Amino acid sequence: MSALALHGPTTSMVLERRGDGTLLWRWWGGRLDDETLPALADLRAPASFSLDVDQPLALVPAYGAGWFGPAALRAHRGGRHFAHRFTTQDIDRGTDAITVHLRDEAAGLTLVQRIAVAGDMLTLSATLTNTGDTPLSVDWLASGTLPLPHDCTAIRHFTGRHNAEFVEAVEPMPAQGWTREGRRGLTGHAGPPGLFVEGPGATRHAGRVHAAQLAWSGNHRLLVERDDEGYWVLQMGMALAPGEVSLAPGESLTTPDLLATCSNTGLNGAVQAFHAAIRARAPWPTGGMRPRPVHINSWEGFYFDHDEAALKALATHAADLGVERFVLDDGWFRGRDDDTAALGDWEPDARKYPDGLAPLATHVMDLGMEFGLWVEPEMINPDSDLYRAHPDWVLAVDGVPRITARNQLVLDLGRAAVRDHLFARLDALLTALPIAYLKWDHNRDLAPAAGTDGHAAYVAQVRGVYDLLDRLGTAHPAVEIESCAGGGGRIDAGIAARTHRFWTSDCIDAVSRVSMQRGFLMFMPPEMMGAHVGAAPAHSTGRTQGMAFRAAVALPGHFGVELDPADMAADEAGLLAAGIARYKVLRDRLHSGRVWLGEGPDGLVWQAHGEPDDLILHVTRVAPTTLRRPPPIVLPMLAGAGDVRVALLEIATVPGHPAPDAPLFAAMRGGGVVIGGDALATAGLPMPAMKGESVALFRLTRAS
């Protein structure tokens, strides 16, 4: 067999080159010796009611020429040249990458498919070029096409809405097809465009799992389709609006990257591969990521009611608690007293800040904290000076009402003039003030969304945002940027290459955050997960949880505070200060190494951060127990770890009426106890009694 293969530590992808030059998918899964695979031609006897030329799954399956599964390309010239036949022109073979150059002479186009491997992560992308002499209309271009085995059992994915992100869903493999399409113009509150396809008996910790996510912040399509041979095909790409992409002669369209991995250690293996890939893409300055500083954000403490003296007092209280970064949220700029006006007019409000923002920023820095600022550059209020000057700068469709959301419209970032204006305003702020951090918000979906030529502008909008962020990153490389879109509406691997943190959800209710944050960690590493201690009762749900529990739920992510400390009782302030101190001690371990997620009996959920020789174990109970005594939790990653010292750092819960204790847990609170790693992986870690809404925090290290 004439094969092209890329190998990771535990995985392989293999392409077979047919006699006519066509590249066919032969394997994507666990690592194997590609030399031992028989050729497809020796396996595939003629099948009834089939074409006389065999049509296995190609690297780039073509539409209309004999392959009846999902095509990688749908394009045409005024309805003609819709059927494609690719010939292989060239193959660039590197140690860790394959680039295949294809041509369709009759249709007048070339297509370049790239596949690279880093660790066990494949990165796929494609570029289509119109080599004809008339415009080429493009309806679909997949970033990549991947084969899935016949014995897959389920698709694990996420749904969600504002204030309820990352709702996990598991569905059996489809009899025919499964599609998820995002049409809102941005990623959406379901989380990244991605999925996990489980093999027989797959669990969090064992079994085969294929997983993929698209590095794109706009409209997207994910599909899994079964063929009549019992296998499935996976594709991902931008979901293009009608008429959105028409390539003039010589023009090209390049897809976003598709990140794909196959784990033979269950869901957690795929999660760890995703984390490694996102960390490799992260835009940290020279020297890499520094410890993630503790935030305080002014929003839920003050909303639009800005008072310089009160905000200085907030900063002082925050510094006393151990906060390291102060972020001034919405309401600081000229005419911004509510959400009806002033978006686009990015100058400090002289009524609220007579001497500008410098005195507040100086006060913050004198307290030893960094200064951060909220902006929403992509948006504009009709009641703003910018809109009055440039009403043509917004996304709109002639004859269709300009529908507002949160009283705002969307600026057309596909226009260079708009990007230049926004860069100038943001650059002026970042130059004039000691701003270390921007909270970059985006508080609505795109509708309607046409550019100056009347064509759909969803792709141009995302690429315009990327361009603006890249430009700012070059000009101000030390400034960190948070991606927020009504909370978790723009969390994906595309924006992750340009920002440093995500706001997981506008809902900071700690009980709600438990599942949301676990969903986030399925795709993104914990150091990028904005996790704040909010007020009680929570503003989004009206529920109240104890301070120790709220702080413990926020602990594994990028820790922050979203309340006014002046409103807290002394005992609550003490608990919050202790939670901040705990985070500072543990953050280096929490934000490096691997993450394992798991479920225990009786409603317990857990996550472990680090490596088997030094783990932070975070065990959460939301609802009260139904059992007389708690069962142990099994920790499979500790198999073969040798003797492990287990220290119980705390049980974060409501004070008073302590749960019954036992001698083992008293010893764990002292110098710790030694338990064999194999015992922890099979019999499990004994658990102390825990109330509802509590977190048990352990450190597990190699026993000396």
Side-chain angles (χ1 to χ4, degrees), residues 12-29:
S12 297
M13 62 132 289
V14 183
L15 300 170
E16 177 180 333
R17 187 164 187 169
R18 198 162 61 181
D20 62 2
T22 302
L23 286 174
L24 306 173
W25 272 109
R26 188 67 183 88
W27 176 254
W28 175 44

Side-chain angles (χ1 to χ4, degrees), residues 420-584:
D420 288 346
H421 171 82
L422 292 175
F423 176 81
R425 294 304 311 131
L426 294 168
D427 180 63
L429 285 167
L430 293 170
T431 301
L433 292 164
I435 298 170
Y437 178 87
L438 289 176
K439 179 181 178 183
W440 186 298
D441 216 339
H442 184 296
N443 279 307
R444 63 158 296 173
D445 299 322
L446 307 190
T452 54
D453 59 1
H455 289 95
Y458 300 101
V459 172
Q461 185 73 7
V462 175
R463 291 193 165 149
V465 174
Y466 288 174
D467 178 79
L468 179 58
L469 287 168
D470 290 343
R471 191 173 172 188
L472 283 167
T474 299
H476 302 277
V479 174
E480 293 185 12
I481 299 176
E482 175 182 77
S483 173
C484 175
R490 188 157 62 185
I491 298 173
D492 60 79
I495 205 85
R498 298 162 172 89
T499 55
H500 307 83
R501 186 185 201 257
F502 293 109
W503 186 223
T504 310
S505 177
D506 281 344
C507 175
I508 321 177
D509 177 300
V511 168
S512 297
R513 274 297 188 109
V514 171
S515 61
M516 286 182 198
Q517 293 179 183
R518 289 171 66 81
F520 179 100
L521 291 173
M522 293 289 285
F523 298 96
M524 299 287 159
E527 63 269 22
M528 301 185 80
M529 181 174 71
H532 286 195
V533 178
H539 292 199
S540 56
T541 66
R543 295 191 298 197
T544 295
Q545 297 100 30
M547 174 56 74
F549 178 67
R550 282 179 276 155
V553 169
L555 177 73
H558 185 172
F559 192 98
V561 179
E562 194 94 11
L563 50 77
D564 186 352
D567 295 335
M568 291 192 301
D571 58 342
E572 278 215 326
L575 288 169
L576 179 54
I580 290 171
R582 174 80 73 192
Y583 168 78
K584 290 179 179 179

Side-chain angles (χ1 to χ4, degrees), residues 319-357:
D320 290 341
L321 291 170
V323 171
E324 299 162 305
R325 179 183 283 159
F326 176 97
V327 181
L328 185 65
D329 211 289
D330 195 357
W332 60 268
F333 48 99
R334 175 166 44 88
R336 187 67 164 177
D337 295 321
D338 54 33
D339 65 10
T340 65
L343 275 178
D345 300 339
W346 300 109
E347 297 175 0
D349 192 327
R351 295 172 302 130
K352 300 175 183 179
Y353 300 96
D355 299 312
L357 296 178

Side-chain angles (χ1 to χ4, degrees), residues 597-661:
L597 301 172
E599 291 85 24
D602 193 33
L604 289 178
V605 295
W606 60 266
Q607 60 198 70
H609 296 229
E611 296 298 336
D613 62 349
D614 188 359
L615 283 172
I616 305 300
L617 177 65
H618 185 277
V619 184
T620 303
R621 174 172 292 289
V622 172
T625 182
T626 62
L627 302 174
R628 186 187 300 273
R629 292 183 180 85
I633 59 170
V634 173
L635 304 173
M637 67 282 191
L638 291 175
D643 286 343
V644 175
R645 184 170 299 278
V646 181
L648 176 56
L649 303 182
E650 70 170 324
I651 298 179
T653 189
V654 176
H657 300 289
D661 207 357

Side-chain angles (χ1 to χ4, degrees), residues 348-430:
D349 192 327
R351 295 172 302 130
K352 300 175 183 179
Y353 300 96
D355 299 312
L357 296 178
L360 176 60
T362 299
H363 177 75
V364 167
M365 294 182 69
D366 287 346
L367 292 166
M369 294 188 293
E370 297 176 357
F371 181 69
L373 193 65
W374 178 95
V375 291
E376 194 172 5
E378 300 158 72
M379 299 296 157
I380 187 170
N381 286 125
D383 183 5
S384 67
D385 290 345
L386 182 62
Y387 186 80
R388 285 183 280 272
H390 296 285
D392 59 320
W393 274 11
V394 301
L395 293 173
V397 173
D398 289 344
V400 176
R402 296 186 175 190
I403 305 169
T404 57
R406 200 176 183 246
N407 303 295
Q408 60 199 49
L409 298 168
V410 185
L411 288 168
D412 182 359
L413 267 75
R415 300 191 193 194
V418 174
R419 297 196 302 274
D420 288 346
H421 171 82
L422 292 175
F423 176 81
R425 294 304 311 131
L426 294 168
D427 180 63
L429 285 167
L430 293 170

Side-chain angles (χ1 to χ4, degrees), residues 106-395:
L109 57 88
T110 62
L111 196 153
V112 178
Q113 180 74 63
R114 293 171 291 274
I115 310 177
V117 65
D120 284 316
M121 182 64 65
L122 297 179
T123 300
L124 298 91
S125 65
T127 297
L128 175 71
T129 302
N130 179 8
T131 59
D133 54 10
T134 59
L136 179 71
S137 298
V138 183
D139 298 331
W140 168 248
L141 176 61
S143 295
T145 300
L146 290 162
L148 295 173
H150 71 280
D151 60 348
C152 296
T153 59
I155 297 173
R156 186 178 298 260
H157 63 106
F158 291 83
T159 65
R161 62 165 178 83
H162 179 237
N163 280 335
E165 290 85 346
F166 290 102
V167 179
E168 191 171 57
V170 180
E171 302 178 38
M173 294 301 290
Q176 293 184 329
W178 178 96
T179 303
R180 165 182 156 182
E181 187 163 325
R183 310 180 187 93
R184 296 176 176 273
L186 71 165
T187 318
H189 287 82
L195 51 75
F196 300 79
V197 180
E198 300 175 9
T203 68
R204 292 273 183 196
H205 315 288
R208 190 195 69 233
V209 174
H210 290 81
Q213 59 173 305
L214 188 68
W216 183 241
S217 307
N219 291 345
H220 52 269
R221 180 182 299 129
L222 322 179
L223 66 89
V224 176
E225 187 169 312
R226 189 174 188 266
D227 65 21
D228 60 5
E229 297 183 16
Y231 293 84
W232 283 274
V233 174
L234 168 65
Q235 282 186 347
M236 294 186 180
M238 298 180 292
L240 304 177
E244 182 168 12
V245 175
S246 178
L247 299 180
E251 284 189 335
S252 298
L253 173 67
T254 297
T255 70
D257 288 344
L258 167 59
L259 308 180
T261 190
C262 178
S263 162
N264 290 304
T265 54
L267 290 164
N268 282 325
V271 165
Q272 291 159 10
F274 277 154
H275 290 187
I278 298 300
R279 284 169 168 163
R281 299 166 71 92
W284 301 116
T286 302
M289 183 189 79
R290 61 192 175 92
R292 303 290 75 223
V294 179
H295 272 48
I296 190 164
N297 188 281
S298 70
W299 179 243
E300 288 200 3
F302 287 80
Y303 292 104
F304 296 104
D305 188 18
H306 283 219
D307 175 88
E308 188 172 343
L311 286 160
K312 286 181 176 179
L314 172 66
T316 300
H317 287 306
D320 290 341
L321 291 170
V323 171
E324 299 162 305
R325 179 183 283 159
F326 176 97
V327 181
L328 185 65
D329 211 289
D330 195 357
W332 60 268
F333 48 99
R334 175 166 44 88
R336 187 67 164 177
D337 295 321
D338 54 33
D339 65 10
T340 65
L343 275 178
D345 300 339
W346 300 109
E347 297 175 0
D349 192 327
R351 295 172 302 130
K352 300 175 183 179
Y353 300 96
D355 299 312
L357 296 178
L360 176 60
T362 299
H363 177 75
V364 167
M365 294 182 69
D366 287 346
L367 292 166
M369 294 188 293
E370 297 176 357
F371 181 69
L373 193 65
W374 178 95
V375 291
E376 194 172 5
E378 300 158 72
M379 299 296 157
I380 187 170
N381 286 125
D383 183 5
S384 67
D385 290 345
L386 182 62
Y387 186 80
R388 285 183 280 272
H390 296 285
D392 59 320
W393 274 11
V394 301
L395 293 173

